[in-house]
Amino acid sequence: MSGPLLSVESISLAFGGLKAVNAFSLSLGRRQLWGLIGPNGAGKTTAFNLLTGVYRPDSGTVSLEGRRLNGLPPHEITAAGLARTFQNIRLFPDLSVLDNVRVACHLDARHGLLAALLRTPRHLAEEKAMEERSRALLSLFGLEERADDDARNLPYGDQRRLEMARALATAPKVLLLDEPAAGMNPREKDELTDLIRGLPARFDIAVLLIEHDMGVVMDLVEGITVLDHGETIAVGAPAAIRRDPKVIEAYLGTGAVDEAVDEAVDEAVEGRA
Amino acid sequence: MTKLLQTAMDAVAVGSLYALIALGYTMVYGVLKFINFAHSDIFVLGAWSSFAMAAALGWTKAGATPPLLGGFAILLASMAFCAAAGIAIERFAYRPLRGAPRLNVLITAIGVSLLLQNVGQLPFVFGTQPQRMPQLLPDRVLASVAGVDLRLVDLIGAGTAVALMLGLEALVFRTKLGRAMRAVSWDVKTAALMGIPVDRVVAFTFGLGSALAAAAGLLYAMKYPGLNQPAHATWVLLGLKAFVAAVVGGIGNIRGAMLGGLLIGAVELFGAAYFSPHLRDLYVFTLLILVLLYRPAGLLGRAAVEKV
Amino acid sequence: MEARPGPSAAVTALRGVLPFLVGAFASLLLHFVVAPASGPFATKLVMDAGINVILAVSLNLVNGFTGQFSIGHAGFMAVGGYTAGLVTYYGSMLLWGSPAAHGGFLGGGELLFLAACLAGAAVAALAGLLVGLPSLRLRGDYLAIVTLGFGEILRVLLQRTGDVLPTAAEVRRTPLPELATHVGGALGFTGIPFYTSPFWVGIFVTVMLVVAYRLKSGSHGRSFLAIREDEVAAEAMGIPTTRVKVTAFVLSALFAGLAGGLFAHLVGTTLNPRELGFQKSFDVVIMVVLGGMGSISGAAIAAVILTLLPELLRSFSEYRMILYAALLVVVMIVRPQGLLGLGEIWDVWRPRRKGTGR
Ligand SMILES: Nc1ncnc2c1ncn2[C@@H]1O[C@H](COP(=O)(O)OP(=O)(O)OP(=O)(O)O)[C@@H](O)[C@H]1O
Ligand SMILES: [Mg+2]
């Protein structure tokens, strides 16, 4: 395949008068790790929602391996190979950790309802394969010990990891991670960084990463797109982005102090959730 | 021609009552995002509590004529009573579930609805005997056009309904309290952070909605005076049609509820007059299905975007 | 991976049908040993309980597993019951000249009855599709309204049907489609032969329980549960939520139709529109909510208890609904997931729930 894996051309979305995302473009190659940063409310999560079909773009196109995705319902986009995690964790709280991942494996299942009700050999074989694959994913994220716990009972960092494991279980081609390190302590962040670094090669996927922690992003990605007020203000390699005056202004302009306060509030809110 | 005019008048009369009930559904849905199933029982309670008061005053005896403003006094009293009932229900059944999954709140609402229904049927409450509502409002034929009588009671009924709606509209869009209600309906958490006393606003919303439903109950009984607890389901069905009116107009939208009420009244009564009087419910629910299929947000509603 | 020939495939196949065989055996035992020994009153109660178990467990597929809210279950039961009743009553008239029960155990009459129940289930499933499609695209509470409306409209329509045709001659004279309008109106569909027996109830309860359990422990059921837990996340995991919801709803309607077929042919009950109204739907809802939203054994146990309870509390009958309604509100506030929640009764003795899987 010659063209890019994921190609986003100038997608926009407005909520009433607010242009949450304006003319956002992106091109991701195979096994590429890319960062998406910007101050709070810049439109990063909205961009993810546009890519995954939660919202429909007002204009622009999203295509994966040349297949147009925008306009499809979210489940078809996931089936096509775009999987995501949620910034405000959305696990299936009353299901076990294992089941959270197994649910996402359902795309593997080819047997029909009747086969499941009769427990045909094919059903059993597919179920077994799903369980094995799920357990393998859990152990990759260090969650195998907790497979039988309810997801709601996991500590916060584990919940974030479970979200990643679950998204990977859909066997995506592109993985979208929305602030996977939020609320983690420095040691957890380091482990997570190493894990994410290994994902493209291990699963043959591209990763698009939203992250506020600059240490984490700069360390991981080949390139970064910076959003501010829905606009793309810079695209480039991490080193160049770090020096880009527009980026510095976007971040410092909002006030370094404000940023710290926001962060603290975020943390408090997330800690409670 | 006579039939057309008569049907049109009935449609406006009944439709404006649907609208009154629909407002309660829509306001509660607006602030708390759930269907208050017990709302139709409040409507029934409005009719029965008015009847009980009239009975206590001796106005239900044959030949008794209530004083001119007696009917309005009862109207106000039963509105106040039902408002109190609505506030109590919110306080004890719904508030403990604030923030719980929607399904739980919905189930609770159904529980409350059944509780009201069955308590009402107890012998020492309203009993199971059918009753006839006395004419509490003055009535005479005001004018006769093409063989159709314009009756005072219909005029008072529709007039009261319209006055109440206009009052509500002014309250919600012109007053500080109304602004607080709209803020809560926009986003409960943010409203709370902004210092809006959410609990009080919600209680007020319930009280207001219940009072309107009570008024509709009394006015409906003026037009169709048979009160019948065991056939309570038919009355509850009336309330549900009012809910359909709210959905058709756009749930959460006050003007939508009014529009929906009139529309439902028209569909029902014209259908009954020109098709078959037995399939009234069918017309209304068919309209609901059509709206859900083609315009799920309702006629005046905006499609809600869930923030992800 | 296709099934390999050899002993292991045979063993798997056997395992697949084993629960059904056990259920069939238990049903035979119930029919020929337990029921005759315990008398007609107890037998009727057992059959009532069995029908309620099917109703509660099937409603749980929607209200418990999938997190949607249907309050028109009795409507689907009515669709199934009337369809099945039509088949056996008029079928018997045409075949044997009289609506009386025909043939013995597994005789011609019972086979007609079996076909009737399956037809009832199929028509109920179709009704489920029609009701589910427009409403399940939207959020859960619309389903409540639409199902409620469906039940009420059905009641109105059934009340307006014509008298049951009493003689075979009349039945022969009437064109077949027109027979469907002769189901007795408000008085009810009388004269349906009494085919429902402990055996058939046992068989259908078995099928219901096995289907529900296997569903819950397989990937299809997990999709149901995921939707109940978080619809947005389920969709993001590639689950076609609308289609899955409709599947659950249709399956649930199918079994309600089956229960309706059993109900229609039960001694001492008349199929009438009032009997299968909102009240009945609500009885089933409370079984599900009390037993646990998503718990198969919970719903089944609640169904049995709530069938027997009114018998014990006969003198309190006017307070029954008040008690149920109050119970519902209190349970929602105190234990919102129902008694067993998503778990099963046997999980209670385990230190930790072992997934929902096997
Ligand atoms: N459903 C919605 N309706 C209205 N406005 C929305 C909605 N979703 C997002 N917005 C607005 O769009 C803007 C972009 O939000 P978005 O969540 O995409 O920001 P973000 O870059 O992810 O910020 P953060 O770093 O805080 O997560 C914000 O102003 C937000 O309030
Ligand atoms: Mg975000």
Side-chain angles (χ1 to χ4, degrees):
Chain A
M1 260 230 32
S2 51
L5 181 63
L6 175 73
S7 142
V8 182
E9 276 160 41
S10 195
I11 53 172
S12 305
L13 180 74
F15 292 113
L18 175 79
K19 281 198 172 158
V21 170
N22 194 25
F24 174 72
S25 297
L26 179 77
S27 174
L28 267 186
R30 297 201 90 93
R31 299 196 178 186
Q32 207 168 16
L33 247 164
W34 200 266
L36 184 59
I37 66 169
N40 287 116
K44 306 179 294 291
T45 299
T46 305
F48 268 24
N49 285 334
L50 288 172
L51 295 183
T52 53
V54 175
Y55 303 149
R56 282 180 181 212
D58 296 331
S59 60
T61 60
V62 179
S63 43
L64 186 70
E65 291 180 329
R67 179 177 169 209
R68 198 178 148 135
L69 294 185
N70 52 314
L72 294 181
H75 69 264
E76 285 186 32
I77 293 182
T78 308
L82 216 59
R84 70 174 300 174
T85 66
F86 293 92
Q87 178 177 2
N88 50 343
I89 302 180
R90 298 188 83 134
L91 290 167
F92 305 120
D94 288 333
L95 299 191
S96 71
V97 168
L98 175 64
D99 280 346
N100 264 273
V101 182
R102 276 203 288 187
V103 162
C105 287
H106 78 106
L107 292 167
D108 299 358
R110 291 280 163 267
H111 65 269
L113 191 56
L114 206 59
L117 299 183
L118 294 175
R119 291 238 160 118
T120 61
R122 175 162 184 191
H123 161 79
L124 293 174
E126 286 188 349
E127 286 286 337
K128 192 153 166 268
M130 279 190 243
E131 175 162 352
E132 278 163 11
R133 202 158 75 79
S134 303
R135 288 198 186 273
L137 278 166
L138 285 181
S139 66
L140 177 65
F141 286 88
L143 291 167
E144 70 274 33
E145 295 281 283
R146 315 218 53 165
D148 294 337
D149 291 354
D150 285 352
R152 68 158 77 253
N153 296 331
L154 289 188
Y156 187 75
D158 284 353
Q159 294 200 6
R160 286 228 173 270
R161 277 192 286 270
L162 180 54
E163 274 241 352
M164 290 176 61
R166 187 180 67 168
L168 281 168
T170 65
K173 296 175 178 128
V174 178
L175 179 65
L176 310 177
L177 299 174
D178 199 343
E179 302 196 19
M184 289 190 175
N185 64 37
R187 219 196 66 227
E188 282 180 308
K189 273 184 188 173
D190 284 346
E191 286 171 11
L192 188 76
T193 311
D194 289 340
L195 194 60
I196 295 176
R197 202 193 320 278
L199 291 180
R202 184 187 285 266
F203 293 99
D204 189 22
I205 55 175
V207 177
L208 182 60
L209 174 71
I210 296 179
E211 187 51 67
H212 273 300
D213 188 312
M214 289 308 147
V216 173
V217 196
M218 299 288 172
D219 196 23
L220 272 174
V221 300
E222 265 172 63
I224 294 181
T225 300
V226 188
L227 290 183
D228 186 25
H229 294 299
E231 306 286 342
T232 306
I233 56 169
V235 181
I241 292 294
R242 216 192 283 269
R243 289 188 304 268
D244 190 312
K246 272 199 286 202
V247 177
I248 294 168
E249 193 197 303
Y251 272 93
L252 297 183
T254 58
V257 181
D258 287 358
E259 188 81 346
V261 171
D262 280 355
E263 210 81 294
V265 170
D266 274 1
E267 224 102 286
V269 169
E270 279 162 354
R272 211 180 45 193
Chain B
M1 182 62 201
T2 308
K3 192 175 171 189
L4 182 73
L5 212 62
Q6 183 68 54
T7 313
M9 255 173 53
D10 286 345
V12 172
V14 173
S16 54
L17 298 184
Y18 279 151
L20 270 186
I21 312 173
L23 285 169
Y25 276 116
T26 262
M27 287 194 296
V28 167
Y29 196 94
V31 290
L32 291 182
K33 305 284 177 287
F34 84 98
I35 301 172
N36 179 15
F37 259 94
H39 192 63
S40 32
D41 300 278
I42 296 284
F43 160 67
V44 182
L45 184 64
W48 274 95
S49 59
S50 330
F51 175 81
M53 281 185 265
L57 292 167
W59 295 346
T60 49
K61 290 194 200 79
T65 41
L68 187 60
L69 291 179
F72 288 100
I74 286 194
L75 179 70
L76 290 180
S78 97
M79 282 171 76
F81 175 70
C82 288
I87 290 171
I89 290 168
E90 191 277 325
R91 175 66 190 82
F92 295 107
Y94 300 149
R95 195 177 299 174
L97 287 171
R98 194 86 53 79
R102 302 155 60 94
L103 200 58
N104 290 354
V105 191
L106 194 68
I107 294 172
T108 307
I110 291 176
V112 171
S113 160
L114 284 160
L115 204 57
L116 288 175
Q117 267 176 52
N118 288 284
V119 169
Q121 284 186 26
L122 288 179
F124 49 86
V125 187
F126 301 125
T128 49
Q129 286 303 309
Q131 301 285 2
R132 201 179 161 75
M133 191 75 167
Q135 195 59 51
L136 294 174
L137 299 173
D139 187 20
R140 65 192 145 84
V141 177
L142 288 179
S144 224
V145 185
V148 180
D149 292 341
L150 179 61
R151 305 193 72 94
L152 182 59
V153 65
D154 280 350
L155 203 66
I156 296 180
T160 312
V162 171
L164 286 173
M165 283 189 258
L166 291 178
L168 180 74
E169 172 96 16
L171 179 90
V172 171
F173 291 101
R174 297 279 151 74
T175 66
K176 212 171 135 188
L177 188 59
R179 186 159 357 120
M181 280 171 69
R182 280 182 289 140
V184 172
S185 89
W186 189 252
D187 187 342
V188 177
K189 280 197 203 112
T190 314
L193 287 178
M194 299 297 165
I196 291 172
V198 171
D199 281 344
R200 244 185 292 158
V201 171
V202 169
F204 180 78
T205 309
F206 267 86
L208 197 60
S210 303
L212 295 181
L218 176 76
L219 295 173
Y220 193 86
M222 289 296 98
K223 196 162 169 54
Y224 301 102
L227 287 184
N228 190 347
Q229 274 287 8
H232 178 106
T234 23
W235 274 67
V236 168
L237 203 55
L238 283 173
L240 274 177
K241 282 190 243 171
F243 173 76
V244 172
V247 173
V248 166
I251 189 102
N253 184 311
I254 287 182
R255 285 170 200 165
M258 300 181 199
L259 176 71
L262 291 173
L263 197 63
I264 294 285
V267 165
E268 179 173 353
L269 286 160
F270 277 97
Y274 290 91
F275 268 130
S276 155
H278 303 294
L279 302 179
R280 294 163 161 248
D281 304 341
L282 194 61
Y283 312 137
V284 173
F285 280 98
T286 310
L287 181 69
L288 174 68
I289 302 275
L290 289 177
V291 168
L292 291 186
L293 275 176
Y294 296 105
R295 225 185 131 81
L299 297 177
L300 301 187
R302 276 173 290 100
V305 191
E306 192 187 350
K307 217 165 163 176
V308 172
Chain C
M1 237 186 65
E2 284 307 312
R4 274 168 276 119
S8 80
V11 169
T12 333
L14 185 66
R15 275 228 207 111
V17 293
L18 190 63
F20 296 108
L21 296 180
V22 171
F25 180 72
S27 306
L28 284 171
L29 208 65
L30 183 67
H31 190 93
F32 288 110
V33 181
V34 181
S38 43
F41 181 73
T43 305
K44 167 89 163 65
L45 265 185
V46 167
M47 291 194 286
D48 281 340
I51 292 174
N52 282 335
V53 166
I54 299 178
L55 287 170
V57 174
S58 61
L59 185 65
N60 210 357
L61 297 181
V62 173
N63 289 19
F65 286 22
T66 320
Q68 307 302 300
F69 200 64
S70 161
I71 40 177
H73 214 49
F76 298 109
M77 187 183 173
V79 169
Y82 274 89
T83 308
L86 274 171
V87 172
T88 46
Y89 182 84
Y90 290 115
S92 300
M93 284 278 209
L94 292 171
L95 287 171
W96 304 303
S98 125
H102 183 90
F105 181 69
L106 294 184
E110 293 217 343
L111 293 185
L112 179 67
F113 161 68
L114 180 61
C117 286
L118 297 181
V123 177
L126 192 68
L129 189 66
L130 289 179
V131 172
L133 268 184
S135 36
L136 285 166
R137 299 186 311 151
L138 307 162
R139 272 207 309 255
D141 27 12
Y142 285 105
L143 184 69
I145 292 299
V146 175
T147 49
L148 186 60
F150 162 73
E152 286 304 313
I153 289 171
L154 194 69
R155 191 171 57 79
V156 172
L157 291 179
L158 285 174
Q159 275 170 349
R160 306 209 48 76
T161 53
D163 292 342
V164 179
L165 301 180
T167 65
E170 264 180 274
V171 174
R172 294 223 165 79
R173 245 183 286 124
T174 317
L176 272 184
E178 205 182 292
L179 286 178
T181 62
H182 291 283
V183 292
L187 293 177
F189 195 165
T190 46
I192 302 178
F194 301 134
Y195 283 122
T196 301
S197 66
F199 173 74
W200 289 112
V201 173
I203 292 288
F204 287 138
V205 167
T206 304
V207 174
M208 177 79 261
L209 293 179
V210 175
V211 163
Y213 185 71
R214 289 188 168 176
L215 206 56
K216 191 176 175 183
S217 55
S219 65
H220 290 88
R222 277 195 298 272
S223 300
F224 290 12
L225 291 168
I227 290 175
R228 144 201 154 127
E229 295 285 294
D230 187 329
E231 209 169 320
V232 172
E235 183 80 25
M237 291 309 120
I239 294 170
T241 49
T242 302
R243 210 176 73 209
V244 172
K245 282 192 280 183
V246 171
T247 307
F249 194 69
V250 167
L251 210 55
S252 155
L254 186 145
F255 279 100
L258 210 53
L262 291 174
F263 181 83
H265 298 82
L266 187 62
V267 183
T269 50
T270 327
L271 197 58
N272 71 50
R274 185 173 286 282
E275 191 90 21
L276 299 182
F278 176 65
Q279 196 77 38
K280 182 72 193 174
S281 293
F282 178 71
D283 281 351
V284 188
V285 166
I286 189 147
M287 289 168 190
V288 171
V289 171
L290 285 187
M293 312 273 274
S295 171
I296 299 164
S297 46
I301 292 168
V304 172
I305 292 177
L306 292 187
T307 314
L308 302 184
L309 204 60
E311 299 301 325
L312 302 176
L313 301 177
R314 272 206 179 279
S315 43
F316 291 99
S317 61
E318 53 184 297
Y319 293 96
R320 185 179 72 105
M321 282 316 290
I322 297 183
L323 184 74
Y324 280 15
L327 205 58
L328 200 60
V329 175
V330 170
V331 167
M332 279 298 109
I333 293 173
V334 182
R335 196 172 162 76
Q337 70 276 44
L339 291 185
L340 288 179
L342 196 53
E344 296 295 344
I345 185 83
W346 46 89
D347 296 329
V348 173
W349 291 280
R350 288 192 194 173
R352 257 189 350 193
R353 192 161 66 75
K354 194 178 162 295
T356 51
R358 276 153 278 149

